[in-house]
Structure formats: structure tokens, C-alpha cells
Amino acid sequence: MKQLQIKDLPFATSNYGRCATVLPIFLKFSVFGTRAALIAFDSYRRERGRLFNIDGVNSTWRRNMKSILMGAIVASAAFVAPALAWEGQKVACYDKHWVPATYSTEKYLEYPAKKKWEHKDGQMVKMYYPPIYMEKRTMSKPGHYVLRKAPCN
């Protein structure tokens, strides 16, 4: 079978040389049959490089359009946001105050009171020692914030 050359095939391109306009004309007017025309067109596309690469052309266009559209959306959101703000009236104002935790304490006796005779400065002295209590602290309510009414600014 004879190897097809591009110069042997009748086809036409648009001004930009897009693949979308070449392929239908290629298949419609090809005298060599559909399979042969596709093989020849594929080799022609490989020779020409990116000229007929639809993905490359469209992906660049898509990337540019995405960045333009995102910029337009962000800019419009920045201008529209103040217009959408709710213009209400102040009814009451409150300040936030911290209330510390409250603890419950229990005492329990560690050492009872005692009286003891001791020798001091050459004489006997009766000493009194008070009882010793230990304190156990338990948190009954954790610290929290409370809103208190305040004048509005």
C-alpha cells in the first residue's frame, strides 16, 4: 500500500488552523477512505505540533478565563458586601464580665489540741499546742462569663 503524504490529501483550514475545522473537511472530501484519512491526519498533526492540539489551546483559554472570572467575582463581592449589610437598631447593650470559680471547703482534724510539759530555761513549763486542721477544697462551680447590661455607645 502506498504511504499517504499530506500534500496528496485535499483539505482546508480556517485562519487559525484549528483541528475542529480541518477534520470534518478531511473526512468529507477524502478520496482515500475514512481510516486512511485519519492515519494521514494523525501524522500531519504530529508533524505540525501544537497547532492542532485542541487540549492545549482550550486549556490555556480555560485557565485564562477562570482567572478572569474569579477576579470579577471577588471584585463584585467586595463591592456588594456593604450593600447587603443589615441596618438594624440597637435594642440593648451588654458587657461581658468574668465570674471566678466558687469552691466549697471542708476542714478535717489532722492533729488534736494538746498540752505538754517542757523543760525551758531551767524550769518546767506547761505548753499548749492548738489543734491543726487541714482544708479540702472542691470546685462547686467553674468560672464563667456573665452578660451585664451597659449603656450603648
Side-chain angles (χ1 to χ4, degrees):
M1 182 175 171
K2 179 184 167 191
Q3 180 72 26
L4 292 175
Q5 298 292 322
I6 296 301
K7 59 185 177 186
D8 299 335
L9 297 173
F11 66 95
T13 61
S14 66
N15 293 339
Y16 302 107
R18 298 275 194 261
C19 174
T21 58
V22 174
L23 187 59
I25 294 170
F26 223 6
L27 294 177
K28 189 174 182 181
F29 297 110
S30 175
V31 291
F32 302 106
T34 308
R35 183 175 165 79
L38 283 174
I39 292 170
F41 179 73
D42 193 42
S43 65
Y44 178 71
R45 199 172 127 243
R46 271 191 242 121
E47 286 176 15
R48 293 290 302 258
R50 286 191 57 155
L51 184 62
F52 292 128
N53 188 358
I54 293 176
D55 297 332
V57 171
N58 284 346
S59 65
T60 307
W61 182 81
R62 279 190 200 114
R63 196 176 316 118
N64 292 341
M65 284 307 292
K66 280 182 186 177
S67 61
I68 290 169
L69 285 174
M70 288 305 289
I73 289 169
V74 169
S76 65
F79 289 119
V80 172
L84 295 177
W86 177 62
E87 297 292 331
Q89 294 179 354
K90 291 181 185 177
V91 176
C93 298
Y94 295 90
D95 286 337
K96 193 164 123 177
H97 290 278
W98 175 253
V99 177
T102 55
Y103 294 93
S104 63
T105 56
E106 298 172 8
K107 313 190 279 188
Y108 61 91
L109 184 64
E110 186 72 22
Y111 296 106
K114 62 183 176 182
K115 294 179 183 172
K116 189 176 178 185
W117 288 97
E118 293 183 0
H119 191 299
K120 287 193 180 189
D121 297 330
Q123 43 176 305
M124 293 295 287
V125 179
K126 192 173 188 177
M127 297 289 292
Y128 172 75
Y129 292 99
I132 298 174
Y133 288 92
M134 296 300 276
E135 189 176 86
K136 184 178 179 185
R137 232 173 120 176
T138 308
M139 183 188 299
S140 57
K141 198 183 224 184
H144 58 279
Y145 283 101
V146 173
L147 296 177
R148 292 187 185 153
K149 204 160 201 171
C152 293
N153 296 337

